[in-house]
């Protein structure tokens, strides 16, 4: 096992020891024992940055199910490295933060850290796995651990609701992704992402290409909270803030982004992929920023902003996929690959500032007892450090210099501008839509970023509205967001270092072409380009909108809150539950008569149609024996008796007629020369008649069936159908013998078994196993009858238990 | 010759069973039906005997004996049921 494979399993294996630390070393916060794990992994991963930048790739395989081609294959390239560094780096900071955020006394810390480590291992597995099945395994593990973390405070109704919702949506996407993976495998014959990318050009003609693409995208969109599957993310904010910071801003929601980036070499360059990914991304971008402005809860605001930013990254990946349409050395390729670079750049930037912002909101919540914007205000002088962090994070998110968000927002603008005059995929006609949507969404982004900073930290301080008297957070809680915001600033000043070492290998992984002319420069100042004017316009209009927020907020009341996808989700959930209940109630009536009806009609339909379709009904009478008159009379007696039972007025008549039937069957055994059968039949017939008489006393009154004519008619049709089908089947069998009978073997019974009675020789010698088990059946029946009669519970006792 | 006689006998026996069945269905009282069933049993004994002759075999003689016993038991069981309402009475000392 290589170190890389071990890195995935280290957190999961380490999770086993957490309860031990929690119980035995209860004086120390359990988080301290967890902290080294992501730190060690982060340091281990940083050692490979230089190698990856030099174009090296790491691949290790550990066998799991080699016969099916499913192995723990890890593959580390630029893209995986970005995600893995984020997971371990932000993971370290979040665990450090959670040590101060979660109380040692009140919280079940061992649960929390087990779930978190499980999630961390799963997430590393997702980004490092090369095998589709293993990727899917870890993908589902992130869903499950996220479910557990959202419902960490399981006593709350809302937590459970949010956990259920996120589980349902992400697992639905996961399943469809699995289907897409299986299609990919059947197209390429390989589970390995590397090998599938190797065959990329040959796949687009396959009929499974588009379905596989759509299903994989569905998985990516649900996980990354893209429109309209974004609805689980705001409800997932019921989780503890470290979880929100880690899972729902920095890592798990990026799994879908990772998936799209990973499969860009396979599906990219196609119009369908380009349009779906970039349009869904743009719609999500707009809808997220639009909805974020109206939120009053800080975490909900951040949730919608996360949705919006994820949409932005997604749209950039979509635009960047157009690069694969062009020749690798061309200028068009270079300017399209800018979008991919921008996407990866913003991926990192978003993790830094959004992680910091969540931690800031957690601090505000922790120190004031509320996250409601309407109750907060004037915290600037009380919490100056927190305010600084919040301002840096928000300004970065709004895309202002001198923070990293400015750079990626500028690159986003150039990407959409490039896309608008791309000249392929019908972009000539609607291309202008891209920059317009992007620009409007950026204005709204600016507005909610300002709300986040100024509504929380400026204005009047209202201590009477807060649950606690506000004060600055402890130093331990401030260090993790401090590190993150320092990244926000540092990246702005040294973007090219970052691009050279981390981003460009990532771009090469997303667009893996030979001798490609990648766009590699990130500059803070690139002259008076249209992008810069767009940003300036964003700031001006955004400021105006923020200042006059009250006067235009009426727009939001035009669309009532009920008009959301949450309503649709709830309607689907309640509706499907109700309708399935109704449906089940409709056919599971509890009446045996109905169930028999289903069984028999199924028999008629299934057997009848199958035999009819295969032309099985062939009646051949050439081998039949001649029929005598007395046989005919005896048959008509049986028929009359059988029909007579149906119309019998009393039960006793029915029993007597049944006796007649039994005796007549016995005489047929005689006619067809089966003395043993005739003997047995006679005895059994008599015994069952006696048994009927025995239970007669306990049976209810023989009543006329109280059903409508319609039901009676249906019963008649069904019974006639069953009779016809069985008769036809018997006649067809009788006339069509495929093989000779094996009975000639048994005719040597005297020589083989020493018995002259063949029937008895078969029963007790040739096939004695059947006889033994039938004896067992009789024994069980006898015992059953005995227990039913003897073991009667007396009144009032539990009827299930009798002594 | 014997075969034809047996054949004719079987036809007549079948017809008489038919008539017995008519009584079983028609009734009108329950004892009528029980007696008709008994008659059918006796007719069957004769039929089995005739069949044994025509087939020239002794394999069905047990069937004749058993039919005799069983049709008696059946009739007794039905009669007792009609008389007392039960077939096997409970012990009185319990």
């Amino acid at each position: 096992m290589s170190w890389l494979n071990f890195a995935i399993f280290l957190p999961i294996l380490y999770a086993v020891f957490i309860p031990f630390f929690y119980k035995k070393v209860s004086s120390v916060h359990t988080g301290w024992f967890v902290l080294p794990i992501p730190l060690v992994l982060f340091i281990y991963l940083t050692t490979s940055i230089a190698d990856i930048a030099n174009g090296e790739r790491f691949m290790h395989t550990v066998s799991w199910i080699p016969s099916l081609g499913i192995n723990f294959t890890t593959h580390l390239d630029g893209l995986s490295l970005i995600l893995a560094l984020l997971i371990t780096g932000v993971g370290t900071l979040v665990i450090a933060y959670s040590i101060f955020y979660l109380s040692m006394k009140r919280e079940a810390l061992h649960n929390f850290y087990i779930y978190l480590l499980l999630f961390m291992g799963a997430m590393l597995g997702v980004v490092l796995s090369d095998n589709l099945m293993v990727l899917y395994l870890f993908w589902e593990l992130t869903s499950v651990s996220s479910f557990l973390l959202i419902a960490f405070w399981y006593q709350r109704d809302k937590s459970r609701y949010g956990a259920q919702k996120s589980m349902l949506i992400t697992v639905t996407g996961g399943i469809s992704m699995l289907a897409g993976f299986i299609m990919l495998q059947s197209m390429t014959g390989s589970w390995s992402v590397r090998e599938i990318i190797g065959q990329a050009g040959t796949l687009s003609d396959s009929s499974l290409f588009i379905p596989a693409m759509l299903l994989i995208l569905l998985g990516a969109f649900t996980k990354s909270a893209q429109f309209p599957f974004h609805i689980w993310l705001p409800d997932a904010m019921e989780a503890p803030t470290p979880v929100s910071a880690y899972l729902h801003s920095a890592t798990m929601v990026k799994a879908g982004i990772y998936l799209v980036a990973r499969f860009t070499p396979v599906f990219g360059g196609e119009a369908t992929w380009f349009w779906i990914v970039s349009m869904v991304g743009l719609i999500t971008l707009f809808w997220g920023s639009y909805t974020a402005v109206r939120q009053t809860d800080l975490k909900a605001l951040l949730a919608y902003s996360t949705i919006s930013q994820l949409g932005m990254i997604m749209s950039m990946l979509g635009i960047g996929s157009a690069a694969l349409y062009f020749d690798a050395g061309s200028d068009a390729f270079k300017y399209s690959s800018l979008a991919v670079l921008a996407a990866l750049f913003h991926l990192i930037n978003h993790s830094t500032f959004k992680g910091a912002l969540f931690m800031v909101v957690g601090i505000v919540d922790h120190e004031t007892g509320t996250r409601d914007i309407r109750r907060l205000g004037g915290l600037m002088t009380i919490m100056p450090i927190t305010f600084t962090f919040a301002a840096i994070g928000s300004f970065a998110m709004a895309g202002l210099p001198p923070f990293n968000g400015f750079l990626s927002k500028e690159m986003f603008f150039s990407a959409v501008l490039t896309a608008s005059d791309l000249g392929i995929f019908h972009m000539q006609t609607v291309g202008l839509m891209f920059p317009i949507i992007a620009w409007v969404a950026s204005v709204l982004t600016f507005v909610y970023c300002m709300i986040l900073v100024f509504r929380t930290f400026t204005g009047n301080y209202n201590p009477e509205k807060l649950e606690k008297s506000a004060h600055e957070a402890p130093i331990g809680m401030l260090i993790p967001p401090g590190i993150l915001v320092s990244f926000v600033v540092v990246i702005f000043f040294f973007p090219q270092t970052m691009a050279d070492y981390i981003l460009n290998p990532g771009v090469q992984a997303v667009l893996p072409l030979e001798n490609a002319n990648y766009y590699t420069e990130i500059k803070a100042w690139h002259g008076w380009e249209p992008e810069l004017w767009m940003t300036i316009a964003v700031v001006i209009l955004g400021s105006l909108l923020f200042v006059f927020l009250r006067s235009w907020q009426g727009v939001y009341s035009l669309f009532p809150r009920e008009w959301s996808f949450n309503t649709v989700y709830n309607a689907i959930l309640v509706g499907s539950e109700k309708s399935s209940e109704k449906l089940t109630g409709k056919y599971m009536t509890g009446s045996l008569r109905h169930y028999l009806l289903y069984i028999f009609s199924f028999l008629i339909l299934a057997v009848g149609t199958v035999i009819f379709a295969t032309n099985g009904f062939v009646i051949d009478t050439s081998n039949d024996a001649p029929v005598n008159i007395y046989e005919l009379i005896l048959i008509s007696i049986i028929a009359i008796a059988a029909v007579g039972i149906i119309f019998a007025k009393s039960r006793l008549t029915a029993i007597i007629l049944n006796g007649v039937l039994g005796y007549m069957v016995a005489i047929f055994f005689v006619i067809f020369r089966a003395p043993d059968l005739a003997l047995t039949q006679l005895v059994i017939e008599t015994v069952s008649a006696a048994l009927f008489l025995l239970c007669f006393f306990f049976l209810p009154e023989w009543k006329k069936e109280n059903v409508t004519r319609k039901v009676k008619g249906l019963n008649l049709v069904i019974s006639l159908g069953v009779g016809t089908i069985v008769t036809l089947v018997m006649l067809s069998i009788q006339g069509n013998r495929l093989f000779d009978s094996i009975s000639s073997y048994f005719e040597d019974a005297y020589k083989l078994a020493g018995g002259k009675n063949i029937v008895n020789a078969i029963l007790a010698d040739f096939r004695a196993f059947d006889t033994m088990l039938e004896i067992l059946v009789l024994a069980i029946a006898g015992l059953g009858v005995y227990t039913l009669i003897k073991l009667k519970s007396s009144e009032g006792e539990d009827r299930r238990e009798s002594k | 010759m014997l075969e034809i006689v047996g054949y004719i006998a079987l036809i007549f026996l079948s017809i008489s069973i038919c008539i017995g069945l008519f009584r079983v269905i028609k009734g009108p009282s329950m004892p009528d039906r029980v007696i008709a069933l008994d008659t059918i049993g006796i007719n069957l004994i004769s039929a089995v005997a005739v069949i044994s002759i025509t087939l020239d075999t002794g394999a069905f003689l047990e069937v004749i004996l058993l039919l005799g016993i069983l049709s008696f038991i059946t009739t007794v069981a039905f009669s007792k049921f009609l008389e007392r309402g039960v077939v096997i009475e409970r012990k009185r000392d319990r």
Side-chain angles (χ1 to χ4, degrees):
Chain A
M1 191 182 248
S2 77
W3 285 111
L4 201 56
N5 292 48
F6 186 65
I8 297 174
F9 289 105
L10 180 65
I12 299 171
L13 292 176
Y14 192 78
V16 175
F17 299 103
I18 299 296
F20 174 77
F21 289 128
Y22 180 70
K23 292 270 189 241
K24 296 286 169 192
V25 200
S26 51
S27 56
V28 184
H29 195 286
T30 317
W32 290 114
F33 297 105
V34 184
L35 192 60
I37 296 297
L39 194 62
V40 164
L41 291 176
F42 183 73
I43 292 166
Y44 164 68
L45 286 166
T46 48
T47 56
S48 51
I49 290 179
D51 290 336
I52 294 284
N54 287 334
E56 265 187 68
R57 302 285 177 268
F58 298 94
M59 193 135 167
H60 302 285
T61 303
V62 175
S63 291
W64 183 23
I65 315 175
S67 56
L68 296 178
I70 297 171
N71 294 311
F72 284 113
T73 306
T74 51
H75 178 259
L76 187 68
D77 60 2
L79 181 62
S80 312
L81 185 67
I82 292 175
L83 269 296
L85 283 174
L86 279 182
I87 292 159
T88 50
V90 180
T92 314
L93 297 176
V94 160
I95 287 170
Y97 177 79
S98 71
I99 292 172
F100 295 93
Y101 185 84
L102 290 173
S103 157
M104 256 171 79
K105 286 178 200 132
R106 286 197 305 268
E107 309 289 3
L109 290 175
H110 53 314
N111 291 352
F112 181 80
Y113 287 109
I114 288 174
Y115 301 158
L116 204 66
L117 281 175
L118 210 60
F119 171 79
M120 191 180 288
M123 200 60 211
L124 280 174
V126 167
V127 298
L128 292 175
S129 289
D130 181 58
N131 194 292
L132 289 177
M133 273 294 144
V134 178
L135 201 163
Y136 173 71
L137 171 82
F138 285 120
W139 184 277
E140 289 299 320
L141 198 55
T142 60
S143 292
V144 171
S145 48
S146 157
F147 169 78
L148 292 169
L149 281 167
I150 294 169
F152 179 63
W153 290 314
Y154 55 83
Q155 305 87 343
R156 300 183 190 171
D157 249 356
K158 277 182 138 181
S159 297
R160 297 199 301 271
Y161 173 77
Q164 185 204 34
K165 191 174 188 177
S166 70
M167 184 77 169
L168 283 176
I169 294 178
T170 53
V171 166
T172 310
I175 295 285
S176 77
M177 190 184 87
L178 175 67
F181 281 176
I182 292 170
M183 286 180 185
L184 263 188
Q185 199 269 345
S186 69
M187 273 193 284
T188 59
S190 168
W191 288 116
S192 163
V193 180
R194 283 303 91 204
E195 288 170 25
I196 290 170
I197 290 174
Q199 304 181 21
T202 59
L203 298 177
S204 53
D205 299 329
S206 168
S207 59
L208 285 177
F209 184 71
I210 296 288
M213 178 201 285
L214 295 179
L215 287 170
I216 289 175
L217 277 181
L218 193 63
F221 288 165
T222 49
K223 199 75 159 183
S224 278
Q226 298 294 304
F227 188 89
F229 310 111
H230 61 276
I231 49 172
W232 65 268
L233 191 59
D235 282 307
M237 291 300 134
E238 294 301 323
T241 303
V243 173
S244 309
Y246 188 42
L247 272 70
H248 306 127
S249 69
T251 54
M252 189 178 92
V253 287
K254 305 245 160 79
I257 304 276
Y258 168 78
L259 197 73
V260 170
R262 182 49 90 207
F263 282 96
T264 297
V266 181
F267 298 113
E270 295 284 326
T272 326
W273 177 268
F274 172 84
W275 275 108
I276 294 177
V277 176
S278 49
M279 275 323 289
V280 167
L282 282 174
I283 293 170
T284 314
L285 164 66
F286 172 75
W287 185 253
S289 58
Y290 170 78
T291 319
V293 176
R294 79 191 298 181
Q295 302 302 322
T296 51
D297 179 67
L298 283 175
K299 264 178 116 176
L301 189 149
L302 286 180
Y304 280 106
S305 90
T306 303
I307 292 167
S308 159
Q309 303 279 313
L310 290 170
M312 177 171 154
I313 301 172
M314 195 64 93
S315 66
M316 283 193 275
L317 280 177
I319 293 166
S321 74
L324 289 169
Y325 183 83
F326 300 110
D327 189 41
S330 63
D331 271 357
F333 177 86
K334 181 177 177 181
Y335 287 103
S336 300
S337 74
L338 162 78
V340 176
L341 180 66
L344 297 180
F345 190 37
H346 196 67
L347 179 78
I348 297 174
N349 293 347
H350 177 247
S351 295
T352 55
F353 62 68
K354 192 52 68 67
L357 282 175
F358 266 110
M359 290 178 189
V360 164
V361 168
I363 290 171
V364 170
D365 188 15
H366 208 260
E367 306 307 335
T368 63
T370 183
R371 300 193 305 250
D372 196 324
I373 295 175
R374 289 165 297 189
R375 289 158 71 182
L376 291 167
L379 295 176
M380 188 159 70
T381 47
I382 301 164
M383 305 165 80
I385 306 173
T386 316
F387 165 70
T388 316
F389 293 165
I392 294 175
S394 299
F395 291 161
M397 186 153 72
L400 297 179
F403 308 113
N404 58 8
F406 172 72
L407 300 175
S408 39
K409 178 79 49 116
E410 291 284 283
M411 289 170 79
F412 173 55
F413 283 150
S414 18
V416 287
L417 287 172
T418 319
S420 66
D421 43 50
L422 207 52
I424 54 166
F425 305 146
H426 307 288
M427 279 301 278
Q428 301 91 329
T429 46
V430 283
L432 200 60
M433 188 176 66
F434 276 44
I436 291 173
I437 296 176
W439 187 77
V440 172
S442 298
V443 172
L444 290 168
T445 305
F446 186 88
V447 174
Y448 71 68
C449 289
M450 296 307 116
I451 291 176
L452 178 61
V453 179
F454 292 110
R455 284 284 148 83
T456 315
F457 291 98
T458 60
N460 302 323
Y461 176 53
N462 304 312
E464 72 281 354
K465 283 190 184 170
L466 304 178
E467 284 167 25
K468 301 175 190 169
S469 59
H471 57 82
E472 187 57 277
I475 183 79
M477 262 173 122
L478 290 171
I479 289 175
I483 294 173
L484 283 173
V485 292
S486 66
F487 268 109
V488 169
V489 181
V490 167
I491 290 172
F492 176 79
F493 288 106
F494 304 100
Q496 197 57 48
T497 323
M498 173 113 168
D500 288 342
Y501 278 98
I502 295 178
L503 295 176
N504 288 329
V507 177
Q508 286 159 27
V510 179
L511 306 169
L513 293 177
E514 297 283 323
N515 307 321
N517 184 11
Y518 295 110
Y519 190 95
T520 54
E521 292 168 65
I522 301 179
K523 279 184 292 188
W525 175 253
H526 46 70
W528 296 100
E529 296 289 330
E531 295 90 316
L532 192 62
W533 290 113
M534 280 169 86
T535 303
I536 290 168
V538 163
V539 173
I540 292 169
L541 188 68
S543 308
L544 285 175
L545 283 178
F546 173 63
V547 173
F548 299 107
L549 189 62
R550 263 163 230 273
S551 52
W552 64 275
Q553 228 172 6
V555 173
Y556 284 101
S557 55
L558 285 178
F559 304 103
R561 266 176 196 276
E562 289 74 45
W563 287 23
S564 69
F565 286 92
N566 279 322
T567 321
V568 177
Y569 168 81
N570 288 332
I572 290 174
L573 209 62
V574 174
S576 60
E577 213 171 290
K578 264 193 185 157
S579 54
S580 60
E581 206 179 309
K582 226 183 206 171
L583 184 72
T584 313
K586 216 157 219 161
Y587 75 92
M588 298 298 279
T589 51
S591 157
L592 281 179
R593 202 175 286 264
H594 288 152
Y595 301 156
L596 283 177
L597 210 66
Y598 307 146
I599 294 170
F600 283 133
S601 32
F602 179 77
L603 177 94
I604 297 170
L605 290 175
V607 175
T609 47
V610 165
I611 299 185
F612 192 74
T614 54
N615 293 323
F617 289 124
V618 181
I619 296 167
D620 176 19
T621 52
S622 56
N623 291 331
D624 289 2
V627 184
N628 290 323
I629 294 180
Y630 65 90
E631 282 168 349
L632 273 180
I633 298 172
L634 291 176
I635 286 171
S636 51
I637 291 170
I638 290 186
I640 292 165
V643 174
I645 290 178
I646 300 171
F647 294 101
K649 290 279 188 303
S650 82
R651 186 172 274 134
L652 213 50
T653 318
I655 294 170
I656 293 169
L657 276 168
N658 195 40
V660 174
L661 255 179
Y663 281 163
M664 297 320 292
V665 172
I667 194 80
F668 266 96
F669 285 140
V670 172
I671 293 172
F672 296 125
R673 287 160 223 192
D676 297 291
L677 282 184
L679 285 173
T680 321
Q681 167 68 21
L682 283 171
V683 176
I684 295 300
E685 198 51 50
T686 315
V687 170
S688 38
L691 275 178
F692 273 127
L693 292 178
L694 264 179
C695 351
F696 210 94
F697 180 74
F698 301 99
L699 293 176
E701 199 90 347
W702 179 272
K703 274 183 295 192
K704 205 160 180 260
E705 238 184 306
N706 199 10
V707 287
T708 57
R709 254 165 195 282
K710 216 167 137 191
V711 175
K712 256 190 179 167
L714 186 68
N715 288 349
L716 183 69
V717 169
I718 296 275
S719 51
L720 281 179
V722 172
T724 319
I725 286 285
V726 172
T727 313
L728 281 174
V729 168
M730 293 319 291
L731 287 175
S732 309
I733 291 171
Q734 191 58 32
N736 300 280
R737 273 183 191 277
L738 283 180
F739 310 104
D740 287 336
S741 165
I742 57 163
S743 58
S744 56
Y745 174 77
F746 297 119
E747 279 163 17
D748 293 337
Y750 187 65
K751 217 167 69 191
L752 292 167
K756 283 180 181 165
N757 187 329
I758 297 179
V759 175
N760 289 355
I762 291 172
L763 284 179
D765 199 313
F766 294 118
R767 306 192 53 179
F769 260 118
D770 294 356
T771 315
M772 184 183 78
L773 293 177
E774 268 157 36
I775 290 168
L776 189 68
V777 168
L778 283 180
I780 290 170
L783 281 174
V785 169
Y786 180 78
T787 44
L788 278 178
I789 293 171
K790 263 295 183 221
L791 300 179
K792 250 193 286 182
S793 61
S794 51
E795 292 288 318
E797 260 182 80
D798 189 347
R799 287 178 151 256
R800 281 164 300 181
E801 262 184 315
S802 34
K803 284 154 201 156
Chain B
M1 181 65 194
L2 200 61
E3 205 166 297
I4 296 167
V5 173
Y7 188 66
I8 294 166
L10 271 176
I11 290 171
F12 279 109
L13 282 169
S14 309
I15 291 168
S16 62
I17 292 173
C18 245
I19 296 165
L21 181 67
F22 172 74
R23 234 344 108 193
V24 169
I25 292 171
K26 186 82 191 354
S29 73
M30 210 43 79
D32 289 328
R33 294 193 171 102
V34 176
I35 292 298
L37 183 66
D38 194 39
T39 320
I40 290 174
I42 305 237
N43 274 316
L44 283 178
I45 293 175
S46 329
V48 173
V50 175
I51 291 169
S52 298
I53 293 165
T54 49
L55 296 179
D56 196 16
T57 171
F60 297 109
L61 298 181
E62 292 100 325
V63 177
I64 296 173
L65 286 173
L66 201 69
L67 252 174
I69 300 165
L70 290 179
S71 82
F72 172 70
I73 291 175
T74 317
T75 315
V76 169
F78 274 109
S79 315
K80 193 162 181 194
F81 179 78
L82 290 175
E83 186 96 335
R84 300 264 174 100
V86 286
V87 180
I88 301 166
E89 282 169 84
R90 292 173 188 211
K91 285 177 192 159
R92 283 197 194 116
D93 55 330
R94 239 177 127 188

